[in-house]
Amino acid sequence: MDNSASLLSDGLDRLGLSVAPEVQARLLAYTSELLRWNEKVSLTAITRPEEVVDKHLLDSLSVVPEVKDAGTLLDLGAGAGLPGIPLAAVLPALRVTLVDAVAKKVAFMKTGAVKAGVADRVRAVHRRAEGAPEVEGLPRADCVIARAFMDTGPFLQLARHYLTEGGRVVVMLGQMPAAEALEAHAAAAGLSLLSARTLALPLSGDPRGVAVFRSP
Ligand code: SAH
């Protein structure tokens, strides 16, 4: 037995998130399935239980404050479904589209969404996102997000095409750049910087940044 359940519960407390025990159990069922598939399909380099909880689940859930008011979320380059599947699990009104260019990852995302108990609100699409939602059959969303997908500048250039009117792009960062750099990326994409904050992951203390952009 590993101690993932207590690590997750402690980490959620430290993020200030109240998550029902059954939802926590589903999050762990999702990561168990992820590690099971990972033996055959390369999905993650992170396999230690503490790291899976911290760097996958808690990292994904660290952006709940930025995402919680959205009705629809588009997760580009979602890989194994991160951050979109954990976000769907804790935000019961959120409808999520996960997109990845690799078919095997999309196959896992479909199974992962079932394990996380969110298959009714989460769609996984095998597509290369290139900025033409209508042609690609991808939806626009209130919130466009990605993790470990592209550098901020190119990501904003791509993500802006998928925004609904008044929608926002949420950028998950390892290191928080200077505000001027974020403003410059925003301006180049025809967006404006709405907010930026830093945080530390609850278990490892690793630094993270979250920046939000919208149409000016
Ligand atoms: N977001 C996940 C995966 C990051 S790896 C996580 O944080 O763990 C980046 C993923 O983006 C890969 O799975 C790759 O297949 C996918 N990808 C790269 N370019 C893409 C594109 N243009 N459209 C859709 N997926 C893309």
Side-chain angles (χ1 to χ4, degrees), residues 51-102:
E51 275 200 299
V52 171
V53 169
D54 195 55
K55 302 221 158 68
H56 285 335
L57 295 179
L58 298 172
D59 188 33
S60 295
L61 296 174
S62 70
V63 300
V64 163
E66 280 79 7
V67 173
K68 67 178 185 338
D69 294 331
T72 52
L73 180 79
L74 178 66
D75 183 353
L76 294 175
L82 298 160
I85 288 177
L87 287 168
V90 307
L91 296 170
L94 189 65
R95 281 174 292 126
V96 177
T97 303
L98 308 163
V99 183
D100 204 281
V102 174

Side-chain angles (χ1 to χ4, degrees), residues 120-153:
D120 55 336
R121 292 179 287 115
V122 172
R123 190 162 72 102
V125 182
H126 177 213
R127 197 82 78 246
R128 174 165 289 278
E130 289 177 330
E134 283 75 19
V135 177
E136 295 158 355
L138 293 175
R140 293 167 191 266
D142 303 337
C143 182
V144 179
I145 200 165
R147 187 184 79 153
F149 175 54
M150 280 182 171
D151 290 340
T152 303

